[in-house]
Amino acid sequence: MLKNMRLISYLIISIGCSFISCKYSVSARHADKIDSIPGRTWWKEAVIYQIYPRSFKDNDGDGVGDLKGIISKLDYIKSLGVDAVWLNPIYQSPNYDNGYDVSDYYKIQPQYGTMQDFDSLLQGLHERGIKLVMDIVVNHSSSQHDWFKQSRSSRTNPYRNYYHWWNAEKGKPTPRYSFFDVNNDAWKYDTLTNAYYLHYFAQQQPDLNWENSALREDIYKMLRFWLDKGVDGLRMDAFQFIAKDTTFPPFPAGYEKNIAKYYGNGPHLHDYIQEMSKEVLSKYPVMTVAEGADTSPEDAMKFVDPARHEFSMAYHFEGIDYGKYKPNYDLIGFKKIYSYWDSCFENKGWLAIFLANHDQPRMVSHWGNDAPQFRNVSSKMLTTFVMTMRGTPYYYYGDELGMDNIKFDKIEDYRDISTINAYQHEKNTGGDLEKFIEDKKRSARDNGRTPFQWDGNDNAGFTTGTPWIKINSDYKTVNEAAEEKDSNSVLNYFRKIVKLRKNNPVLVYGKYTLLDKDNPNVYAYTRELNGRKMLIVLNFKNKPATVNTGINLAKATLLLDNYSTPPEGNSLQPYEAVIYEL
Ligand code: TEU
């Protein structure tokens, strides 16, 4: 049945060929011998669409997105052709870090709706053949979680060891850096029991103590609860940090510049993951993706080497952190990173491919060009990159419209605890606040968290109330309704390339080879599988560029181009993206 459906869709694409610039069809003689591919699974072939629930669609007019809002847009999600939705946390939370501070793992955040809404959402997705990936945040909980309330109440409380405490009579604990703390101090003194507790993130996010087997059992129980509901995937938040050396040895000066190295991969990390896998994950047909395997390919491989029975895939941060939001990053270095990581995972293991998520500024502003004349074309070019690399594409809501950074010019507009506390830190330490605000226009997480732009009406059709965060003023032109009507829109390009990827396993499993590696403007590579070969050329610059792949294109078939006129020879227009079948 599945095979027939694949064949039918293959034929439809071969015959109908509805690409914008599709000059020729994908020839049936090149049909990939997909059944002979070892290790095939749905999550390698999937395109995963990430929804930030606070900002997707508000159904009840309180200015905050909700589950009913998502339910009302299920047909839109289906129309994208994506296979799975990853939802950022929707559990009960006081929302200091927008849901990444969970106060009850078994309840739905009331602003988002009820458990019944959740069940309807899951059912609605499944009815449309779309899977659901939940965010699992267990490096820390909220300080309002009952475990923490108990833990802090007395030194002898049974939940005391659910968290990391340092009794003050031992003196001050060895310094640990906190990502979101105003003073960057990860130890918070609590008078109640004269002790410090550890929080790698905000004060309101105390770190859970994975060294305690009772805590681990509670986490496994919680995972079973969601998996029993039929959830298909789990995104394991900040997972490289869960295991700690509880003697808290001192780190060398400057350790905070490489947190992953010192905090990541603590003792027993992989024992815990293997235990979790044995107790829970192996008993369900579930996909798992580890966030933050961000030290080295060797460390990342430990999470996903199939022989180790840990997670399905991981995402690395070396690509996303590259250049740290500098206006002009060096493309040669960018290519080197992606090529190196691909080579390390060529024979086993699997990676995610992404250029944006809720912790990042908008893809087009960060990696492309959001000036009006380049926004569309560079969005499409970046989308082409994500959809033609080896690895599972994770695609962030709104990028399919070409949504860009909002670039707030005052701190009062920000909602993100990391930006607000960093600003306060800057202020307290006499930093340059103007520069801070300028930098944040490029780098702040809130740039990527503004409401989805559904139409050109009030509040972009996101809410009838007052939105929890400002809406990007470009919504009059950049919105779903307008882009639906334009066959040349970023949105319709996204749909086409999703289809192209899904109908051509060479783009999923094919060997990746970098070409013209020293070209500072163009990223060119081939993907090859079972006699099929595709060439992808991407001009990452705002000016014309040439590429030298050494491939004679006379017999090549142009499959997709983000310009309406095909490239002439080896010349590419600004941000041009072309896919050929060779
Ligand atoms: O992020 C974990 C993580 O590694 C962050 O330090 C990330 O590098 C940082 O947010 C960049 O500014 C996860 C979530 O994705 C993030 O939204 C949460 O705030 C964080 O965990 C705490 O739960």
Side-chain angles (χ1 to χ4, degrees):
M1 171 73 177
L2 206 77
K3 227 167 138 186
N4 286 344
M5 278 173 57
R6 208 172 291 120
L7 189 69
I8 290 166
S9 53
Y10 187 82
L11 287 174
I12 290 171
I13 207 112
S14 301
I15 298 161
C17 188
S18 59
F19 309 142
I20 293 178
S21 304
C22 179
K23 310 299 185 292
Y24 306 90
S25 63
V26 179
S27 151
R29 85 195 143 87
H30 281 318
D32 304 346
K33 295 171 206 108
I34 45 180
D35 292 330
S36 63
I37 299 165
R40 284 192 64 199
T41 54
W42 73 265
W43 45 263
K44 291 182 180 170
E45 296 172 18
V47 173
I48 299 186
Y49 183 66
Q50 181 187 350
I51 292 182
Y52 199 63
R54 250 185 125 62
S55 292
F56 195 60
K57 174 71 183 161
D58 174 23
N59 177 71
D60 62 5
D62 65 355
V64 173
D66 47 41
L67 299 185
K68 282 208 170 90
I70 301 175
I71 292 170
S72 72
K73 295 296 182 184
L74 283 175
D75 288 335
Y76 169 73
I77 298 166
K78 173 78 185 160
S79 79
L80 298 174
V82 299
D83 305 271
V85 163
W86 154 27
L87 272 191
N88 291 99
I90 52 165
Y91 317 98
Q92 182 182 291
S93 161
N95 262 328
Y96 284 97
D97 187 19
N98 288 0
Y100 282 94
D101 46 327
V102 180
S103 55
D104 191 331
Y105 292 98
Y106 295 90
K107 290 209 176 103
I108 300 293
Q109 164 73 357
Q111 280 182 321
Y112 292 163
T114 62
M115 193 58 85
Q116 215 177 352
D117 296 334
F118 173 82
D119 293 337
S120 311
L121 173 62
L122 184 61
Q123 192 186 341
L125 284 166
H126 284 171
E127 279 165 7
R128 289 166 180 79
I130 301 170
K131 298 189 187 314
L132 180 65
V133 179
M134 296 283 277
D135 217 314
I136 302 297
V137 192
V138 289
N139 171 69
H140 44 270
S141 74
S142 160
S143 52
Q144 293 183 27
H145 194 290
D146 190 53
W147 294 338
F148 189 72
K149 288 185 186 160
Q150 300 249 14
S151 182
R152 82 178 271 258
S153 67
S154 91
R155 288 187 179 187
T156 53
N157 187 283
Y159 286 94
R160 184 66 170 183
N161 287 330
Y162 269 46
Y163 296 86
H164 297 282
W165 290 97
W166 182 277
N167 292 338
E169 62 271 18
K170 291 198 287 179
K172 278 199 149 194
T174 38
R176 286 294 182 268
Y177 179 91
S178 159
F179 294 107
F180 299 165
D181 188 69
V182 175
N183 301 317
N184 297 135
D185 182 357
W187 290 107
K188 166 90 177 136
Y189 177 70
D190 193 25
T191 44
L192 205 60
T193 55
N194 188 34
Y196 299 83
Y197 68 83
L198 183 74
H199 61 92
Y200 280 173
F201 295 90
Q203 281 179 14
Q204 297 85 355
Q205 295 169 292
D207 281 50
L208 288 161
N209 180 7
W210 275 74
E211 278 56 55
N212 180 347
S213 60
L215 174 270
R216 299 202 299 276
E217 278 308 321
D218 264 329
I219 301 285
Y220 303 156
K221 192 171 130 205
M222 179 273 285
L223 294 179
R224 285 184 204 106
F225 172 81
W226 291 100
L227 291 169
D228 285 339
K229 276 181 172 290
V231 162
D232 310 279
L234 307 175
R235 179 249 184 206
M236 314 306 281
D237 184 68
F239 227 77
Q240 81 277 35
F241 298 145
I242 59 159
K244 278 122 187 153
D245 178 345
T246 51
T247 64
F248 295 105
F251 292 147
Y255 75 93
E256 68 279 0
K257 294 192 182 71
N258 194 351
I259 290 290
K261 178 170 167 207
Y262 291 98
Y263 285 14
N265 307 303
H268 307 298
L269 170 66
H270 293 283
D271 297 336
Y272 301 150
I273 301 175
Q274 286 177 12
E275 180 185 87
M276 177 166 61
S277 174
K278 191 165 152 256
E279 299 269 323
V280 187
L281 306 177
S282 61
K283 302 200 160 72
Y284 297 85
V286 61
M287 177 280 275
T288 46
V289 52
E291 188 210 26
D294 56 339
T295 43
S296 64
E298 294 72 31
D299 285 337
M301 181 59 84
K302 289 195 188 132
F303 286 93
V304 297
D305 180 345
R308 296 170 58 89
H309 303 288
E310 297 191 22
F311 294 142
S312 312
M313 63 176 136
Y315 38 100
H316 69 82
F317 285 165
E318 200 175 344
I320 202 81
D321 283 347
Y322 179 66
K324 281 284 178 197
Y325 321 115
K326 295 229 174 70
N328 294 306
Y329 58 94
D330 164 33
L331 184 69
I332 294 178
F334 182 91
K335 296 195 270 190
K336 226 184 244 168
I337 292 173
Y338 284 94
S339 303
Y340 177 58
W341 279 81
D342 183 86
S343 70
C344 297
F345 286 73
E346 185 167 1
N347 298 320
K348 62 177 179 183
W350 195 256
L351 292 173
I353 294 286
F354 66 107
L355 286 178
N357 62 33
H358 64 291
D359 291 333
Q360 300 295 328
R362 278 286 168 190
M363 173 176 85
V364 67
S365 304
H366 186 179
W367 301 107
N369 191 327
D370 59 14
Q373 71 272 33
F374 293 129
R375 195 181 49 81
N376 283 4
V377 76
S378 68
S379 290
K380 291 174 186 174
M381 185 276 291
L382 296 168
T383 297
T384 312
F385 170 72
V386 175
M387 293 296 160
T388 57
M389 288 294 285
R390 180 156 47 188
T392 300
Y394 282 69
Y395 201 85
Y396 191 49
Y397 87 103
D399 283 347
E400 78 274 27
L401 304 178
M403 279 176 63
D404 52 2
N405 283 2
I406 191 158
K407 304 177 185 162
F408 289 135
D409 50 24
K410 50 181 195 308
I411 191 67
E412 292 73 26
D413 286 334
Y414 281 100
R415 298 289 173 267
D416 177 9
I417 190 169
S418 79
T419 304
I420 294 169
N421 284 359
Y423 181 88
Q424 195 55 46
H425 175 83
E426 209 63 15
K427 204 168 167 180
N428 296 349
T429 55
D432 183 343
L433 295 176
E434 250 173 64
K435 182 175 179 295
F436 180 92
I437 293 290
E438 271 320 296
D439 287 350
K440 289 295 165 196
K441 289 182 184 173
R442 269 201 300 276
S443 63
R445 308 196 296 182
D446 276 343
N447 282 306
R449 297 178 175 186
T450 63
F452 191 93
Q453 296 163 200
W454 291 104
D455 56 42
N457 299 325
D458 288 353
N459 294 325
F462 163 69
T463 180
T464 54
T466 309
W468 70 277
I469 189 169
K470 280 188 180 163
I471 292 173
N472 196 315
S473 58
D474 65 12
Y475 76 90
K476 294 268 178 205
T477 45
V478 183
N479 67 63
E480 190 252 337
E483 295 197 28
E484 288 292 351
K485 291 185 214 126
D486 175 5
S487 62
N488 220 6
S489 63
V490 178
L491 173 62
N492 282 315
Y493 185 88
F494 176 69
R495 289 184 173 125
K496 279 159 196 149
I497 200 160
V498 168
K499 234 182 245 168
L500 184 72
R501 183 178 176 98
K502 297 211 58 68
N503 286 301
N504 291 281
V506 58
L507 291 176
V508 176
Y509 296 105
K511 181 181 165 53
Y512 159 95
T513 308
L514 177 66
L515 304 173
D516 202 8
K517 78 174 176 18
D518 296 324
N519 189 325
N521 306 315
V522 179
Y523 197 157
Y525 47 96
T526 52
R527 303 292 311 278
E528 244 173 296
L529 181 77
N530 295 338
R532 290 197 67 197
K533 191 166 180 180
M534 288 196 184
L535 168 67
I536 296 99
V537 285
L538 310 167
N539 180 2
F540 269 69
K541 297 292 158 75
N542 63 358
K543 50 187 194 305
T546 52
V547 58
N548 185 7
T549 59
I551 293 173
N552 178 357
L553 294 176
K555 287 199 188 124
T557 304
L558 182 68
L559 294 183
L560 194 60
D561 186 350
N562 63 349
Y563 275 83
S564 49
T565 48
E568 278 171 31
N570 290 329
S571 304
L572 297 167
Q573 303 186 63
Y575 300 110
E576 185 159 14
V578 194
I579 307 179
Y580 298 96
E581 168 120 33
L582 300 176

